[in-house]
Amino acid sequence: MKSAIAIARRFNPAVGAWLVALSGGRLHILLSRTLRLRRLAGAMLHGTLTPPSPVRLQIETTDVCNLRCIHCTRETLDGMNTLTVGFDAFARTVSEIAPFYVTMNGLGEPLVDRTIIKKLGFLHGRGIRTSMPTNGTYIRRHKRDELAAELPDVLQLSIDGATKASFEAIRKLGDFDNIIENYRSICAMRADGKTRPHTTIRVLCALQRANLHDYREMYRLYKSLRSVDSFNLVAVFDYDAEGSSYAGLVPSADEVLALHREIDIAISAATETDEELFYRNWRKVSAEWLRSKNPNRIDPETNTAPCTVPWYSTYIDAKGRVYPCCYLTATEHVMGQLQADGSGFPTIWSGAKYRGFRSQLMTARPTLSGCRTCPRNDDRVLTTLSKLGPLLPKPILDDAPQGG
C-alpha cells in the first residue's frame, strides 16, 4: 500500500495526497471506505432516506469558552459553559459512526477540554483526518507540546484583530500579546519539524467594523507567523431572523467606501506581490457589504435548492444532541440525544425523525426553519453524481423519498 501511494505521489501528487487522506496509508481502510463512499454517493443521488453512516462528524467536545467574542452566536444562547464530553463517550460515538473526517468544533474552545489531545490521538490512530479551531489562549506550556505531537490535520488560528485594541475589542477577555505569542510558538514548532507531520495551519479572520482598517497590520502579522499555509477572510453579516443581533458589527456603506479609497492607495504603493494580493482580497471581501444587506440571503418561500449535508455529515453538541448540521442548533431540529433515551447514534441516524427530516428537506424545504433561509445549494454535486449514476447502487423500494 505504501509503495502504491509513493508511486501515485510521484506521478500525481494530488492523487497520492487523496489516497493518504482517505486511507491513512492502510489498504483495508482504503477498500472499505471506497465501497462506503460508493453507497453514500448512490444514497445522495437517489435521495435514500437511510444512507450509510456519515463520513463526516462535527462534534462539540465542550461548550465552555474563556472568551466572549462579539460576533459569536453563543452570546445569544442559554445553557453555555456547562459540559465537556468525556473521553469514553467520545470514543464510543466515533466508533459507532466510523467517520473519515472529524471536525472538533462547536461553540466552545476545544483546548479547554482536558482530554482533547487524547481524543485527537484516538482519531489519528484510526486513520481519521481531523480539523480544529482555537482561540489560542491555551497553546502554552505542556499543552503546546502535547498539541504539537497530535496536531490536527488542519489547525485553524482565529485572529480577528491585528492590533491589541481591535483584537481585544472583538475577542473580549482575550489577551492579544499572549495569544499571538502562543500562535508564534506552535507555528515555529511546525516550521522546525517538531509537530505531527503533513498538517496544515490556517488563519481565519472575521472582518467587521472593529477591524475594518487592520489590513496593513494584519498582513504584517500573517507574514510574521512561520509555516502558516493560508489566510481566510470572511465578512460578518447579521444572520439573525429579525436582523438585529449583529447589526452593529457591520460597517455602513460610507465606511466601506472610505476603506476602499484608503486601500486603493495601499494597493498602488505595495512593493510585494503578496502584499498587493492581500490588500485586494481585503477590498474584495469588504465589497460584499455593498451589494446588499446580506448577499447570501434568499427568499425562504421559494428556496427549493437541494442540500446533501444530512446524508454525509452530522453535528453533535456537548449535550449529546444530534443535529443535521451545526447551523440548526437554534432550531427544533434535534434528531435525538445520545444516551438520554438509551439510543446510540445508529438508531438516531436511521430513525423516523431523521428520515422524515431528509424527506421534508427534499420535498418541502421552505417549511423547515433554518433550512429555508440557508443559501446551501448542492445542484452541482448532484449533477456530478448523476454522471456516475450507472456505477452507483439504487435504493430499495421502501427507502425511496416520501411525499413526492
Side-chain angles (χ1 to χ4, degrees):
M1 179 62 186
K2 290 182 179 180
S3 61
I5 291 178
I7 293 172
R9 276 181 163 171
R10 178 176 298 178
F11 290 98
N12 192 321
V15 172
W18 183 84
L19 288 174
V20 171
L22 183 62
S23 69
R26 303 172 193 177
L27 180 57
H28 71 283
I29 293 179
L30 176 62
L31 292 176
S32 64
R33 289 183 176 178
T34 300
L35 291 173
R36 187 164 146 200
L37 281 175
R38 177 176 174 269
R39 298 198 312 274
L40 175 60
M44 291 166 61
L45 176 62
H46 299 295
T48 304
L49 298 184
T50 308
S53 186
V55 297
R56 178 182 180 269
L57 165 64
Q58 181 176 349
I59 185 165
E60 179 184 65
T61 67
T62 182
D63 65 12
V64 179
C65 187
N66 60 302
L67 302 187
R68 298 291 180 269
C69 302
I70 61 176
H71 57 275
C72 182
T73 55
R74 65 176 283 120
E75 297 307 304
T76 66
L77 301 175
D78 296 323
M80 293 287 102
N81 295 321
T82 59
L83 291 170
T84 295
V85 179
F87 175 79
D88 290 343
F90 173 86
R92 182 168 55 252
T93 298
V94 170
S95 297
E96 287 181 337
I97 298 174
F100 304 175
Y101 191 94
V102 173
T103 300
M104 318 281 271
N105 184 19
L107 294 176
E109 163 54 36
L111 289 177
V112 168
D113 177 1
R114 295 184 179 182
T115 64
I116 193 68
I117 306 302
K118 186 177 180 181
K119 289 168 181 170
L120 286 168
F122 175 83
L123 297 172
H124 296 154
R126 284 155 180 77
I128 299 172
R129 287 181 62 80
T130 56
S131 66
M132 186 185 81
T134 180
N135 65 33
T137 305
Y138 300 103
I139 306 178
R140 60 190 184 194
R141 297 191 290 273
H142 69 280
K143 181 78 81 171
R144 180 195 63 189
D145 298 330
E146 292 173 351
L147 176 62
E150 292 294 351
L151 201 67
D153 291 282
V154 178
L155 179 67
Q156 179 179 288
L157 311 180
S158 297
I159 306 179
D160 295 319
T163 68
K164 185 176 181 64
S166 62
F167 184 96
E168 294 180 5
I170 295 170
R171 293 191 157 260
K172 293 186 179 295
L173 306 184
D175 186 315
F176 174 76
D177 295 325
N178 287 340
I179 288 172
I180 297 303
E181 183 57 33
N182 292 342
Y183 285 157
R184 292 192 192 285
S185 67
I186 196 68
C187 289
M189 292 182 74
R190 179 171 177 263
D192 294 337
K194 296 179 180 179
T195 63
R196 179 172 171 266
H198 311 302
T199 57
T200 296
I201 296 181
R202 300 172 180 168
V203 170
L204 175 66
C205 174
L207 186 62
Q208 52 198 281
R209 174 177 278 131
N211 61 14
L212 191 61
H213 295 271
D214 277 13
Y215 56 93
R216 291 182 188 276
E217 294 86 352
M218 188 65 77
Y219 174 74
R220 288 195 289 267
L221 175 56
Y222 164 57
K223 297 298 285 188
S224 73
L225 296 171
R226 298 173 62 196
S227 197
V228 171
D229 297 277
S230 63
F231 178 88
N232 188 24
L233 185 69
V234 294
V236 169
F237 283 95
D238 189 357
Y239 290 101
D240 177 63
E242 302 301 323
S244 59
S245 294
Y246 303 100
L249 306 185
V250 179
S252 67
D254 287 342
E255 289 173 313
V256 174
L257 291 172
L259 167 72
H260 289 181
R261 290 190 294 271
E262 178 185 314
I263 207 169
D264 284 343
I265 296 173
I267 290 172
S268 300
T271 58
E272 301 175 354
T273 301
D274 285 353
E275 182 181 14
E276 179 185 342
L277 292 175
F278 188 92
Y279 295 163
R280 287 189 182 279
N281 184 57
W282 199 280
R283 192 188 196 285
K284 177 182 177 182
V285 172
S286 61
E288 294 177 13
W289 286 312
L290 299 178
R291 289 198 288 272
S292 67
K293 182 179 180 182
N294 182 344
N296 290 321
R297 185 162 288 166
I298 57 174
D299 183 356
E301 302 303 324
T302 60
N303 183 12
T304 58
C307 172
T308 61
V309 172
W311 276 259
Y312 70 83
S313 181
T314 194
Y315 174 71
I316 303 175
D317 71 10
K319 297 176 177 62
R321 295 177 296 197
V322 180
Y323 294 89
C325 86
C326 64
Y327 292 106
L328 297 178
T329 54
T331 69
E332 71 277 14
H333 303 309
V334 180
M335 300 293 102
Q337 188 162 5
L338 300 180
Q339 287 104 38
D341 57 2
S343 300
F345 182 83
T347 302
I348 296 173
W349 181 253
S350 60
K353 194 161 187 178
Y354 233 134
R355 288 166 57 87
F357 178 86
R358 295 186 186 104
S359 180
Q360 193 173 356
L361 183 60
M362 287 187 291
T363 61
R365 181 168 174 170
T367 67
L368 293 172
S369 60
C371 299
R372 64 198 302 264
T373 55
C374 175
R376 178 88 184 198
N377 186 336
D378 285 338
D379 257 329
R380 293 179 64 182
V381 173
L382 294 179
T383 298
T384 300
L385 291 179
S386 67
K387 297 177 181 178
L388 303 173
L391 303 176
L392 303 179
K394 295 182 179 180
I396 59 177
L397 185 61
D398 62 355
D399 203 26
Q402 305 297 311

